[in-house]
């Protein structure tokens, strides 16, 4: 019986630790997608996704979710080319996969998956990326965003991954040598307004 209070105390201490590590709102790390962000490094503590609000519909069109400015940066890059050999467009579960890449290119391109993910699994995944994989996480636009940029192992280019979670929707983009400015923000604005 005496073990129960100790377990409860440990759980409360763990939750307080997670809350203490949460980044402050408005902290934005510099990245190719956010070149005007502050030069101070962002908090890379445990992210805390926002509570779920009203249900947001998953998008069905890869071009419609992007602003004209972002589309202009993507230029003639092929979208969902069958030569990539991956499933793109609307998936059987309703998620959307957008692959901006020329199948003949060695590295340049990006792939975005927009899926449903509830708060618990999202929190677990984002915490793992922040604590184990060196992602920087912050809380813009009513959600939680985690990102990381690294050098490609083969080519002299940058690779990266940006994730944004809000209201049970996860936007997950992996890119190599193609990071249009405002890409994720454009999708967020389309889905959630603002």
């Amino acid at each position: 019986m005496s073990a129960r209070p100790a377990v409860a105390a440990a759980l409360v201490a763990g939750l307080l630790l997670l809350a203490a590590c949460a980044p402050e709102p408005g902290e934005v790390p510099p990245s190719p997608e956010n070149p005007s962000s502050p030069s101070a490094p962002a908090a890379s503590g445990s992210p805390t996704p926002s509570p779920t609000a009203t249900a947001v519909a998953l998008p069905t069109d890869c071009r419609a979710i992007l602003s004209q400015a972002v589309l202009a940066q993507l230029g003639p890059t092929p979208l969902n080319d069958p030569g990539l050999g991956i499933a793109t467009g609307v998936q059987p579960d309703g998620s959307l996969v957008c692959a901006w890449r020329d199948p003949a290119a060695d590295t340049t391109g990006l792939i975005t998956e927009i899926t449903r993910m509830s708060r618990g699994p999202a929190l677990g995944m984002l915490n793992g990326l922040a604590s184990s994989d060196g992602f920087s996480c912050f809380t813009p636009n009513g959600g939680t965003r985690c990102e990381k940029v690294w050098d490609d192992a083969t080519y002299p280019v940058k690779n990266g991954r940006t994730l944004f979670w809000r209201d049970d929707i996860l936007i997950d983009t992996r890119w190599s040598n193609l990071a249009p400015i405002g890409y994720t923000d454009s999708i967020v604005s389309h889905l959630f307004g603002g």
Side-chain angles (χ1 to χ4, degrees):
M1 288 293 224
S2 61
R4 284 190 181 179
V7 170
L11 286 173
V12 169
L15 290 174
L16 289 175
L17 179 61
L18 280 176
C21 293
E24 290 297 317
E27 291 183 4
V28 180
S31 73
E33 204 178 330
N34 293 314
S36 63
S37 57
S39 57
S44 59
S46 300
T48 54
S50 62
T52 300
T54 57
V56 174
L58 288 171
T60 58
D61 185 322
C62 295
R63 289 184 187 277
I65 59 177
L66 299 174
S67 68
Q68 288 303 311
V70 171
L71 289 170
Q73 293 175 68
L74 289 166
T77 307
L79 171 62
N80 297 341
D81 192 297
L84 294 174
I86 61 171
T88 58
V90 178
Q91 303 300 298
D93 64 356
S95 61
L96 180 66
V97 177
C98 303
W100 296 88
R101 182 177 176 142
D102 185 334
D106 289 335
T107 184
T108 301
L110 66 81
I111 296 177
T112 299
E113 297 180 52
I114 304 174
T115 60
R116 291 215 179 273
M117 182 177 286
S118 61
R119 186 179 191 281
L123 179 61
M125 182 185 68
L126 297 174
N127 278 333
L129 291 174
S131 64
S132 302
D133 295 331
F135 277 69
S136 295
C137 296
F138 51 106
T139 54
N141 303 313
T144 297
R145 179 172 172 149
C146 294
E147 56 189 31
K148 181 179 177 181
V149 177
W150 61 90
D151 292 325
D152 188 272
T154 305
Y155 300 97
V157 299
K158 296 290 187 185
N159 295 338
R161 184 177 180 192
T162 301
L163 303 98
F164 180 89
W165 182 89
R166 176 177 165 183
D167 299 341
D168 290 346
I169 291 184
L170 177 70
I171 304 164
D172 186 352
T173 301
R174 297 168 194 259
W175 57 269
S176 178
N177 198 36
L178 181 63
I181 296 168
Y183 180 86
T184 299
D185 289 340
S186 181
I187 298 172
V188 169
S189 178
H190 176 83
L191 293 179
F192 304 105

